[in-house]
Amino acid sequence: MSNRKRPVRQMPLRALAPNILTVTAICAGIFAVLYAIERNFQWAVVMVFIAAVLDGLDGRIARLFKSTTALGAELDSLADFLNFGVVPSLILYLWSLQALPAFGWIVILLYVVTCALRLARFNVMSREAPARPANAPGSTKFFVGVPAPAGALLAFLPMFVSLADLAPTENYPAAIGVYLAVVAALMLSRIPTFSFKRVSFAADYSMFILLGVAGVIALLVTRTWYALILLDIVYLVTIPFAIRAHASENKPRNKLVLDIESDDGAA
C-alpha cells in the first residue's frame, strides 16, 4: 500500500477575491442590523449601501480575474437575500413598523418572502438565459421586476425622507407598511426594468454623463439623504420608460414585410 501523500492543490489568492468581497458584504449586512438594534439608523443604512457596492463589485472582479465559480454564484445569491431582503425589513421594523407589531411583522415577512422568490426566479432565468430572446425580460438588457438591490434602496425611501429632516415619516407605520408592500409587489412583478449595465447613450453626451455622475457623488458626500431620495425618484421614473422600450422592441414586424418575405420564400 502506497504511503505517498496526495499533492496539495494550489489556488491563487485572486481566485478568492470575489468571494472575499461577498463575505465582506454579508458582514456589512450583519453590522447594519447591529446598528439598527442600537437605533443608529444612519450607520445601518450606510452598511447596507456598502453591501450594495460590494455586491456590484464581486461579479465584475470574478469576470476580470476569470474566477467565476458555482460556489461564488450561490454565495452571492445568499448574500443578496440577506442584505437586500432580511436586513432592510428588520431595519424598517426596528425604525417604525414595530409600533404596529402584528401588521409590521406581516409586512416584513411579505417583503422577505417576496425577495426570496424574486432571487430564485432570477437564478432560474439566468441558467436558462442562452435559450431566451435577446430582448426578452430577464435578458442582459432588462430585468424582470425590480432587482433586489434596487428594491432595498426603494424600501428605505421613507427613512431617507426622515433622515433628511423633511418629514417625521417614522410616525406613520401603517403608510410605511403599505409602501413596503408596494415595493415587494414591484420586485415580484413581471414588468421590465432597465439593466443599467447595458444602457447605451450617444457619445456626444459622454461629457454631460460624467458631469452628472460627479454631481451625484458630490451630493452623496455632502447631502447624503437628499442624494438617495433623488436616486430613488430617478429609478422610479425610469420604470415607465423601461416598459415602453421593452414593448417597442417586442412589437411584431410589419405584416406587409412578413407577406413579402413569405412570397420571396415561395418563389
Side-chain angles (χ1 to χ4, degrees), residues 121-235:
R121 182 178 67 187
F122 177 80
N123 291 342
V124 171
M125 295 180 71
S126 297
R127 296 187 187 103
E128 296 174 352
R132 298 176 62 80
N135 61 347
S139 69
T140 54
K141 192 168 183 179
F142 295 100
F143 287 122
V144 177
V146 173
L153 187 67
L154 291 176
F156 281 130
L157 179 56
M159 182 180 284
F160 297 156
V161 171
S162 176
L163 292 174
D165 292 326
L166 295 176
T169 49
E170 67 274 16
N171 296 332
Y172 305 96
I176 292 171
V178 172
Y179 171 76
L180 192 59
V182 171
V183 173
L186 288 173
M187 291 171 63
L188 198 57
S189 72
R190 300 193 66 83
I191 62 173
T193 56
F194 284 122
S195 173
F196 290 101
K197 293 183 292 185
R198 296 289 179 174
V199 170
S200 59
F201 52 87
D204 293 341
Y205 296 109
S206 59
M207 298 301 293
F208 297 103
I209 297 294
L210 293 174
L211 285 173
V213 170
V216 170
I217 292 174
L219 195 60
L220 277 169
V221 173
T222 59
R223 293 290 186 272
T224 304
W225 311 120
Y226 290 96
L228 292 173
I229 292 170
L230 178 62
L231 288 175
D232 272 341
I233 293 172
V234 169
Y235 184 84

Side-chain angles (χ1 to χ4, degrees), residues 107-130:
V107 170
I108 70 166
L109 281 176
L110 174 67
Y111 180 86
V112 170
V113 172
T114 298
C115 186
L117 292 172
R118 195 236 131 52
L119 289 168
R121 182 178 67 187
F122 177 80
N123 291 342
V124 171
M125 295 180 71
S126 297
R127 296 187 187 103
E128 296 174 352

